[in-house]
Amino acid sequence: MEWGDQEERIDELEASRPPAHKTYQDTIDIILENSVHMPREASPEAQKAELNSDQFRLRRAFLILAREHCKQNGLPPGSEEALDIFEEANDRADNITYAYAGLPFRTEEKLALTPEQVKTKLTLVVPSYVPNLISHVREHGKLGALQEDLSAGVGDYVKGRFKSPDIDKLLLQALTQAEIVAYIDEMIWKNVLTGISKLEDAAPPSVLRAVWNVCKLIFLVWMLSIGVAASPFLITALPEDIMVLVGLGLGGLGTVALLILGVFGVKSVIQERPRRRKIYQSILDMIAQMNGFYMEFRGAGPFSLSRFKKRVNELADTGVVWPSGLFVLIEDMEERGIRTF
């Protein structure tokens, strides 16, 4: 076949292909396909996990809103105006999902992920089946969201034109759960140097442990004094009588000193217990209230916005510092007349 014939054949093949963006669904499919991060070499299960993830579903929801906008305004599929609308909706999804760590950058690291890990890394909220947040946070850590970036993404959502109660609900859950999980993680995370978490550090000190520590020190002092007294048996040049007296004196004086210090130490421990118990209990109460809030507003069921706002304010009164975007979104929903979500 001559070169000119090849070009003619290519033109025929191109002409026979259906044009891109022939329908609104074509545009949605193209954008969704371009947003996929898992490599084609990944297992079908891992690829399916991404397609069923929170982030992918959120992007699809924004694109569906863009489709409805184009239909209502009579914008032809594939037109520049329609494509701009879809791009705007896609950007709104990016502004939210980019607040999360997401999948690793390197292809090798992505391929090493299990389907469950893919789903976890692309989640926006805590799974609704989780009964206890402490256990979940201890196993999985934070949600991976930078709360300031998430608030900024929600702010862009509020200022935009693509909104729905389903997206409202997901963002309300994401904003509140990001703060709740971050607080629990901060309290139970063990310091790499001390091996103690803030929750453990706030626990009331044990009087019995303080007494036991003093007893161990007294035991060590007497072992040292016995060693001093017995040293002439190993080093014959040392005077036996003098070393025995030194050993007994060291043991007696050391014991008296440790008993005195021990009394003051135990006294300080007893005085410290009420203050530490108050701090410890306040942390436990806060975690319990946060867990109760999560349990009440998890899952796919409908919720009352007024009830949600009341519970948010109650926790704020106890000291929870919610992301600023949370109140912005609640006010916007109220202005739109949203009562349930």
Side-chain angles (χ1 to χ4, degrees):
M1 180 181 294
E2 296 296 331
W3 177 251
D5 295 334
Q6 291 180 355
E7 288 186 323
E8 183 178 350
R9 177 57 178 162
I10 291 173
D11 292 339
E12 292 176 357
L13 290 173
E14 291 290 341
S16 66
R17 294 174 182 169
H21 306 285
K22 186 176 181 180
T23 65
Y24 295 131
Q25 190 59 46
D26 289 336
T27 303
I28 292 176
D29 291 341
I30 290 171
I31 294 175
L32 290 176
E33 183 177 356
N34 290 336
S35 70
V36 170
H37 294 287
M38 287 301 292
R40 295 184 182 276
E41 300 84 0
S43 67
E45 294 77 13
Q47 295 184 43
K48 185 177 180 180
E50 180 178 8
L51 301 183
N52 292 329
S53 67
D54 288 345
Q55 294 194 19
F56 198 85
R57 290 189 292 110
L58 176 67
R59 190 178 304 277
R60 184 188 293 115
F62 271 108
L63 295 176
I64 290 175
L65 291 175
R67 180 188 65 190
E68 297 308 310
H69 179 87
C70 290
K71 286 182 177 180
Q72 292 173 4
N73 291 273
L75 302 179
S79 65
E80 183 176 350
E81 294 85 352
L83 295 179
D84 287 342
I85 293 298
F86 278 104
E87 183 178 356
E88 179 185 340
N90 193 48
D91 288 342
R92 289 285 179 263
D94 283 340
N95 291 338
I96 295 169
T97 58
Y98 284 174
Y100 291 78
L103 296 174
F105 179 76
R106 297 179 57 190
T107 300
E108 297 80 3
E109 295 176 350
K110 292 177 183 176
L111 292 174
L113 297 174
T114 65
E116 183 61 30
Q117 289 173 325
V118 172
K119 185 177 180 180
T120 299
K121 288 184 177 295
L122 294 177
T123 190
L124 301 176
V125 295
V126 177
S128 59
Y129 57 79
V130 173
N132 186 285
L133 281 178
I134 293 181
S135 299
H136 179 78
V137 174
R138 185 175 285 115
E139 180 180 356
H140 297 284
K142 297 181 182 180
L143 281 172
L146 296 174
Q147 288 153 281
E148 291 183 2
D149 291 347
L150 182 57
S151 282
V154 172
D156 289 336
Y157 167 76
V158 168
K159 291 183 290 186
R161 52 181 146 185
F162 305 113
K163 302 174 186 178
S164 75
D166 288 338
I167 296 179
D168 292 336
K169 179 178 181 177
L170 180 63
L171 295 181
L172 288 175
Q173 290 176 326
L175 286 165
T176 52
Q177 292 179 16
E179 173 59 31
I180 290 172
V181 170
Y183 177 81
I184 295 175
D185 181 74
E186 181 184 358
M187 292 299 107
I188 67 174
W189 177 80
K190 292 182 181 293
N191 186 291
V192 294
L193 297 178
T194 63
I196 300 175
S197 68
K198 288 186 177 181
L199 180 61
E200 293 170 332
D201 188 54
S206 170
V207 176
L208 292 178
R209 179 176 297 178
V211 173
W212 174 241
N213 288 336
V214 172
C215 291
K216 288 191 293 183
L217 288 174
I218 292 175
F219 176 77
L220 290 175
V221 167
W222 274 104
M223 290 297 295
L224 178 62
S225 65
I226 292 173
V228 171
S231 60
F233 294 98
L234 298 176
I235 306 174
T236 55
L238 295 175
E240 182 176 343
D241 294 341
I242 294 177
M243 296 308 296
V244 170
L245 290 175
V246 171
L248 292 175
L250 177 63
L253 292 174
T255 300
V256 172
L258 286 175
L259 286 174
I260 294 174
L261 293 175
V263 170
F264 283 105
V266 170
K267 181 180 178 182
S268 65
V269 166
I270 294 174
Q271 293 174 340
E272 179 71 5
R273 281 175 61 83
R275 187 185 72 86
R276 293 275 287 275
R277 185 184 292 111
K278 184 177 181 180
I279 297 174
Y280 182 74
Q281 191 59 49
S282 68
I283 295 175
L284 292 180
D285 290 344
M286 180 67 78
I287 291 177
Q289 291 183 63
M290 287 180 163
N291 190 69
F293 180 91
Y294 158 76
M295 294 290 289
E296 183 175 355
F297 297 106
R298 64 176 180 168
F303 304 117
S304 164
L305 180 59
S306 61
R307 170 65 179 174
F308 183 88
K309 182 179 179 180
K310 178 183 177 182
R311 294 285 284 116
V312 163
N313 289 330
E314 287 175 351
L315 284 178
D317 291 338
T318 64
V320 178
V321 182
W322 297 115
S324 59
L326 176 63
F327 298 100
V328 172
L329 178 55
I330 291 176
E331 290 177 3
D332 181 72
M333 292 174 66
E334 290 176 332
E335 291 177 0
R336 284 186 276 134
I338 303 296
R339 296 180 179 275
T340 59
F341 60 95

